[in-house]
Amino acid sequence: MEAPGLPRKETMKIAKSILDTIGKTPLVALDRVTSGLPGRVLAKIEYYNPGASIKDRAALAMIETAEKQGLLKKGGTVVELTSGNMGTGLAVVCAVKGYRMIAVMSEGNSEERVHMLRAVGAKVVLVPQVGSKRLGQVSREDLEAVDVETTRLTKKLKAFRPNQFYNESCAHAHELATGKEIWEQTEGKVGVFVASIGTGGTFVGVARALKKRNSQIECYAAEPASAPFIAGKKVTNTSHKIQGTGYSLIPPLWDKDLCDGFVTATDAEALRFSRLLSRKEGIFSGFSSGANVACSVKLARKAKPGTVIVTVLPDTGLKYLSTDLFEK
Ligand SMILES: Cc1ncc(COP(=O)(O)O)c(C=O)c1O
């Protein structure tokens, strides 16, 4: 039965569900953090998405593609490996569409992510860290352990596994939306794009969208300073604080032809820029946002005057309250 008093006319300016609000995020000039630099840095504020991260975009795309392909049927179960953000995005989508969601993640990810996942109806399976416990730091070895458990559970439950690291929909979502949004929001004036790499979906999708429109646009991959693996440089420590990124592997979605160069950020730089974003811009964001801005600033320092540098702020500081990202 329909709720009384609320006519369901499609002429109303309402979203039919929260899923309609995914994407179309604001692009904000970081003029206070970057004042005096020749390049201008603009950032997509991705915590505006309902799961409070950029991963909602890929989550929705993977589920809707699976529905179209008949891989996911009414009442089905979704199992996915996650550092928290993809799991939350999938849980949001599954809540609205009526699927059961199981998120498999490393114990090393911050506990807020576990709380939020459970709040939006996901079951969370935590995988112990390989070697010693390092809260807030997840290495390639930890990711491998999570992958083994995800494969086991998917088989056991005959579930659908989106397999974010291999799923082309991750890159498509960013090509069709995020990249197009950046192009339109800058009126085609974007000159440089920078992003950290987890699955690589964000970087690859946005770079494809931008280079298709103007092949002169330069796209830089941001990596942790201790693990510049994709750049082919020496990895000194696979464990770092930039959660969701820098797994010391070449992600299957990676396309080297889209990458014009690499920039790195240390944990300390990620932390410093995340704190600066809060204090100077009023933007409360996470570690990878700090890393992306640290890398953008490095490029802005060397840029031709007036160059427009765009990055993404993948998630919110609210997901890291238990970590040392902000002083208590
Ligand atoms: C906080 C955060 N930043 C960046 C990324 C990287 O995004 P992508 O997987 O599209 O490369 C992720 C991915 O999970 C993330 O959680």
Side-chain angles (χ1 to χ4, degrees):
M1 218 175 84
E2 285 194 7
L6 248 190
R8 295 214 174 160
K9 285 248 172 73
E10 295 310 326
T11 50
M12 289 194 299
K13 290 201 168 86
I14 58 166
K16 282 196 257 86
S17 84
I18 198 72
L19 303 185
D20 288 352
T21 72
I22 292 174
K24 300 176 239 46
T25 53
L27 183 67
V28 176
L30 307 182
D31 287 344
R32 285 135 293 271
V33 164
T34 61
S35 75
L37 300 180
R40 189 173 197 207
V41 179
L42 315 178
K44 291 281 274 176
I45 316 294
E46 293 294 317
Y47 61 61
Y48 272 72
N49 287 301
S53 94
I54 195 163
K55 303 300 279 195
D56 289 12
R57 296 172 179 267
L60 180 62
M62 290 195 295
I63 294 294
E64 297 205 323
T65 303
E67 287 174 333
K68 274 187 209 130
Q69 293 173 342
L71 299 172
L72 190 52
K73 304 244 164 59
K74 206 171 181 296
T77 299
V78 176
V79 177
E80 181 59 306
L81 125 182
T82 176
S83 67
N85 282 333
M86 175 58 85
T88 305
L90 286 168
V92 166
V93 177
C94 289
V96 173
K97 290 177 175 279
Y99 301 120
R100 182 172 169 232
M101 168 67 198
I102 301 176
V104 190
M105 64 192 286
S106 166
E107 261 179 359
N109 290 118
S110 62
E111 63 188 78
E112 295 84 336
R113 292 165 176 242
V114 180
H115 294 317
M116 187 165 174
L117 272 160
R118 290 193 177 129
V120 281
K123 182 175 171 209
V124 180
V125 175
L126 287 175
V127 176
Q129 286 190 274
V130 178
S132 57
K133 274 198 172 193
R134 302 166 306 278
L135 193 65
Q137 292 183 238
V138 173
S139 66
R140 179 180 68 189
E141 293 79 3
D142 294 326
L143 187 71
E144 282 163 2
V146 175
D147 184 48
V148 169
E149 178 60 7
T150 309
T151 306
R152 191 191 69 78
L153 270 175
T154 306
K155 238 181 168 175
K156 185 177 158 207
L157 301 172
K158 296 191 176 57
F160 167 67
R161 176 180 179 179
N163 224 350
Q164 56 166 320
F165 276 84
Y166 292 85
N167 196 319
E168 274 293 339
S169 295
C170 290
H172 279 155
H174 292 292
E175 183 177 351
L176 295 181
T178 324
K180 181 168 175 267
E181 289 168 29
I182 290 170
W183 178 261
E184 287 171 357
Q185 285 168 311
T186 60
E187 296 174 340
K189 294 190 181 70
V190 51
V192 175
F193 175 69
V194 194
S196 294
I197 315 294
T199 64
T202 305
F203 179 88
V204 168
V206 171
R208 255 183 210 141
L210 295 180
K211 285 179 182 284
K212 193 165 70 187
R213 289 168 172 86
N214 174 359
S215 60
Q216 301 300 306
I217 296 173
E218 294 183 352
C219 298
Y220 290 85
E223 291 198 282
S226 72
F229 186 90
I230 308 174
K233 300 238 172 82
K234 193 167 176 228
V235 174
T236 52
N237 192 353
T238 55
S239 186
H240 55 81
K241 294 188 177 176
I242 311 168
Q243 290 183 37
T245 83
Y247 293 114
S248 299
L249 49 80
I250 309 275
L253 298 176
W254 182 247
D255 179 348
K256 67 175 176 16
D257 294 341
L258 296 167
C259 183
D260 295 289
F262 295 87
V263 204
T264 60
T266 62
D267 283 354
E269 286 170 330
L271 207 122
R272 175 164 167 259
F273 275 96
S274 187
R275 288 177 178 173
L276 276 174
L277 283 170
S278 288
R279 297 207 191 113
K280 290 200 167 186
E281 305 283 356
I283 298 172
F284 188 43
S285 63
F287 281 102
S288 67
S289 302
N292 283 351
V293 173
C295 290
S296 302
V297 163
K298 288 179 188 182
L299 292 169
R301 271 195 203 116
K302 292 196 231 145
K304 272 201 213 124
T307 303
V308 174
I309 298 165
V310 175
T311 191
V312 290
L313 306 191
D315 69 359
T316 164
L318 291 172
K319 299 201 182 200
Y320 303 90
L321 289 174
S322 69
T323 73
D324 62 352
L325 184 51
F326 300 98
E327 291 117 324
K328 295 178 183 111

